[in-house]
Amino acid sequence: MGESHRCSVHLAIGSGAVANVLLWKNWFGSAALLIGSTALWLLFERAGYNLLLFISNVLLLLVVMLFFWAKSALFLNRPLPPVPNLDISKESVVKAADEMRVWVNRALSIAHDIAIRGKFGLFVQVFLGLWMISHIGDFFNFLTLAYIAVLLSLSLLVLYTKYQKQIDEKLIIARQIIQAQYRKIDEQILRKIPMPSNNDKKTQ
């Protein structure tokens, strides 16, 4: 039964290499992600290292190593550095564009429903979501938020696969409570707010 829960979560997040890392099925990749993200966060946040300076120094060191490796290989008759083919395929670009198009169309659909159809409930949800993001941004910068996201991704999904049944039961109860409270607010406040109809907009 627990294995079926793990498979469902694994399939839900893509069932690929990323899912294996997030669910700690690939221990080396998960540990490397955790250690690398922690090292970068300590380097930039605690040591005060500059991101642009770090990237330029790493690229500079890489270019120098590759240059001297290639020159020494010519003189010593050794193989050239194993630099892979870095061409981006057309299929990968099309796939990325399709994924981006889906998210952009979803955002535009939400904006259309708020601006044209005047869906007040959707407006409240978007407003509260953006307000929470801006409020959280007052306490943490982007790098710290990204590091927190990595830590939560490597921990919450594993905990969810282990205690999925109990968490689902609590989430169902919480959802019922939220829906009941929203219905009360909708009946007592939102429905009493006068909203212009489509006929009024056409006459104007």
Side-chain angles (χ1 to χ4, degrees):
M1 188 75 178
E3 185 65 29
S4 64
H5 289 330
R6 284 193 288 271
C7 291
S8 64
V9 176
H10 190 261
L11 290 173
I13 59 178
S15 67
V18 176
N20 292 334
V21 170
L22 294 179
L23 293 177
W24 289 85
K25 293 179 179 292
N26 180 3
W27 277 88
F28 178 78
S30 302
L33 177 61
L34 179 61
I35 294 172
S37 59
T38 303
L40 288 176
W41 182 75
L42 291 174
L43 184 66
F44 294 127
E45 288 298 313
R46 293 293 176 242
Y49 207 67
N50 186 277
L51 178 62
L52 182 61
L53 182 62
F54 175 77
I55 294 174
S56 62
N57 286 340
V58 169
L59 292 177
L60 178 62
L61 180 62
L62 181 62
V63 168
V64 170
M65 288 174 58
L66 292 176
F67 177 78
F68 284 107
W69 188 345
K71 289 299 182 182
S72 63
L74 293 176
F75 289 114
L76 302 175
N77 292 325
R78 293 188 176 182
L80 292 172
V83 179
N85 188 8
L86 300 178
D87 291 337
I88 300 175
S89 64
K90 183 178 179 181
E91 291 77 13
S92 61
V93 174
V94 171
K95 185 177 180 181
D98 287 338
E99 290 291 333
M100 185 178 296
R101 180 178 59 84
V102 171
W103 286 99
V104 170
N105 285 337
R106 186 175 300 175
L108 292 176
S109 175
I110 293 174
H112 180 271
D113 289 340
I114 293 175
I116 305 300
R117 297 182 181 178
K119 291 187 176 181
F120 191 76
L122 183 60
F123 164 74
V124 172
Q125 294 176 9
V126 173
F127 177 83
L128 291 177
L130 294 177
W131 178 80
M132 287 179 61
I133 292 174
S134 65
H135 195 63
I136 293 173
D138 288 338
F139 299 99
F140 307 103
N141 57 23
F142 178 75
L143 186 61
T144 302
L145 285 176
Y147 179 61
I148 293 174
V150 171
L151 294 181
L152 293 178
S153 300
L154 291 174
S155 58
L156 292 183
L157 289 175
V158 176
L159 291 175
Y160 180 71
T161 57
K162 189 174 182 180
Y163 304 104
Q164 185 176 15
K165 184 178 179 180
Q166 296 89 332
I167 294 174
D168 286 343
E169 292 175 353
K170 301 299 182 182
L171 289 177
I172 290 173
I173 296 174
R175 181 181 179 185
Q176 292 174 350
I177 293 174
I178 292 173
Q179 287 179 342
Q181 295 299 323
Y182 179 78
R183 281 194 293 269
K184 289 181 181 179
I185 296 174
D186 185 48
E187 292 173 357
Q188 297 176 2
I189 300 175
L190 299 182
R191 291 186 181 179
K192 295 180 180 179
I193 298 176
M195 300 292 292
S197 63
N198 291 330
N199 294 328
D200 294 337
K201 293 179 181 178
K202 289 180 181 179
T203 55
Q204 290 176 0

